[in-house]
Amino acid sequence: EHNKWKSFLGICIINILFFVLMLAYRNWHPDYTSMPIYNKLKISKASHSITPIKDSQHFMVSAFIDHRLDGTIRVISIIDRHNLQPLYCAYCTIEHDCKEAETDVWIHSDHFGFPFHVSDVICKGKHVQDATRVLISTKPSLDNETHQYLPIQNRVISETFKFNFTVCISNLFGDYNNVLQYAQTIEMYKLLGVQRVVIYNTSCGPDLEKLLKHYEREGIVEIVPWPIDTFLNPSPGWNFKEHKGDIHYYGQLTTLNECIYRHMYQSKYVLLNDIDEIIVPYKYANLPSLMKNLQDEHPNVGVFLIENHIFPKTQFEDSGRFKRPEWRNISGINIMEHIYREPARKNVFNPKKMIVNPRMVEQTSVHSSLKNFGETYHVPFDVCRIVHVRVPLQGHLTKEQLAVDKKVWDFEQELVPNVDKALESSGLLRPNS
Ligand SMILES: *[C@@H]1O[C@H](CO)[C@@H](O)[C@H](O)[C@H]1NC(C)=O
Ligand SMILES: *[C@@H]1O[C@H](CO)[C@@H](O)[C@H](O)[C@H]1NC(C)=O
Ligand SMILES: *[C@@H]1O[C@H](CO)[C@@H](O)[C@H](O)[C@H]1NC(C)=O
Ligand SMILES: *[C@@H]1O[C@H](CO)[C@@H](O)[C@H](O)[C@H]1NC(C)=O
């Protein structure tokens, strides 16, 4: 009896080992693929966040199941609007069972005249639930060359989230080295209840590189490589007529949409803003209590619009209490010295930024959502607003004509030592100096 059990267990263990090894082999090798017994299609995993679509000018970026659209596959892509052609998708299961289908291409409406623009390539295949990877091609059936595929994300709906608040910072580029403002902003967000800051990195300055490496080690920052300049001539501006280039503002509209899908089942809320902007609750102590109250009052809202307010970096606070010697040698703007706010102008559009429930957004722009499932709510100025320290928009105004707004000072006690610690850990400030 005892021996029977032993051999039974032995067989079980051997079987389990066999399966584990088989799974390991598969996970290990999806990069070569081609299991010719099943299918002669050769695919390899895309190695960049931007992957050229063969025999076209277009690029694919990332792929997601959209459970709101009947579980269809959406491939966020960058499409050359002037060279449209039919596109096809090939999607495969983990067993390398592949199918091909036609696609719909939805070019987002906010292209501002640029030839390349973010688009959703929607795979019209049936029974896509088991697919784990997908690629877009210009031919209805693939040749025997090797093709690069994207892993399919968001395959499972989650009702619980790893993060409550994620900030999506679009596009870091050039030799941007505004370290002090970056550190102050990230530390402010931590105090306000944010657990994750996502940064799409094309390039950055040397000191900011050190700070970001520190935050990446700490776990708050997620860096997504964004080598858009190796594929296209990205525009530094938002309007094709004025700024030229292939694609709007280093591909900002692609990264914002990518970020929403990437965090759809990871984060309860997503904040879409630039790094020089802090979405600050004024009526509540932090983002969790702000959003609890707003969401209780407006249960069907998925897009919350927050007013942007300019704090000119040219106007300094008089007492000099935050002109700290520790920060003298740190490059960048010290937001705590800039407490003067420009008045809102009648007849001038105030471009807002957003806090969204990502599961209620289908396509986003910078200042509004293009397609969403719920309602939109304009959050009043006294409840929450953006503190945006930058070059003035109304530079002719004197200090006396600006409003004093010291909200950031409320966080002084924790903010100042936290910023120092971050700078020290980054090797930008000597400890106890
Ligand atoms: C692909 O197919 C063509 C002919 O259809 C053949 O000449 C070529 O050798 C094949 N290439 C590979 C890598 O199998
Ligand atoms: C998110 O908020 C909930 C409810 O307020 C809380 O229980 C949970 O710990 C928070 N999660 C994180 C990651 O902070
Ligand atoms: C940002 O991208 C540049 C260019 O690829 C790279 O050299 C740098 O290390 C990246 N920075 C971070 C913090 O990942
Ligand atoms: C200021 O920074 C420079 C270069 O980053 C460094 O060599 C110097 O020691 C720093 N000075 C102080 C007082 O921290």
Side-chain angles (χ1 to χ4, degrees), residues 268-269 290-304 357 359-360 373-377:
K268 192 166 178 194
Y269 293 105
L290 169 77
M291 290 316 291
K292 171 149 195 350
N293 281 279
L294 287 182
Q295 201 76 79
D296 284 352
E297 283 167 34
H298 312 279
N300 301 323
V301 170
V303 176
F304 297 87
N357 169 346
R359 294 160 302 287
M360 289 170 87
F373 296 95
E375 293 164 18
T376 297
Y377 175 66

Side-chain angles (χ1 to χ4, degrees), residues 172 199-205 208-214 216 221 223-227 229-230:
L172 176 57
I199 295 163
Y200 289 80
N201 169 37
T202 304
S203 61
C204 70
L208 191 55
E209 171 85 8
K210 290 182 189 165
L211 183 77
L212 291 179
K213 290 281 185 219
H214 156 68
E216 208 178 9
V221 162
I223 305 272
V224 182
W226 186 247
D229 54 349
T230 63

Side-chain angles (χ1 to χ4, degrees), residues 351-363:
K352 298 171 183 65
K353 292 292 172 81
M354 293 178 280
I355 301 178
V356 302
N357 169 346
R359 294 160 302 287
M360 289 170 87
V361 175
E362 198 188 329
Q363 292 181 348

Side-chain angles (χ1 to χ4, degrees), residues 144-212:
N144 59 0
E145 309 268 298
T146 302
H147 296 264
Q148 292 195 310
Y149 74 84
L150 302 174
I152 300 176
Q153 304 172 61
N154 293 356
R155 296 183 57 234
V156 181
I157 296 179
S158 172
E159 310 274 344
T160 56
F161 309 108
K162 198 165 155 199
F163 312 116
N164 286 327
F165 293 95
T166 294
V167 185
C168 294
I169 302 291
S170 52
N171 313 59
L172 176 57
F173 60 85
D175 53 1
Y176 193 79
N177 206 32
N178 186 357
V179 177
L180 192 52
Q181 186 167 13
Y182 233 98
Q184 288 174 334
T185 301
I186 290 179
E187 294 303 334
M188 269 295 286
Y189 272 127
K190 280 158 84 178
L191 295 174
L192 290 171
V194 165
Q195 290 92 25
R196 174 58 46 117
V197 178
V198 188
I199 295 163
Y200 289 80
N201 169 37
T202 304
S203 61
C204 70
D207 298 336
L208 191 55
E209 171 85 8
K210 290 182 189 165
L211 183 77
L212 291 179

Side-chain angles (χ1 to χ4, degrees), residues 207 329 428-430 433:
D207 298 336
N329 207 16
L428 296 165
L429 183 66
R430 263 182 254 122
S433 60

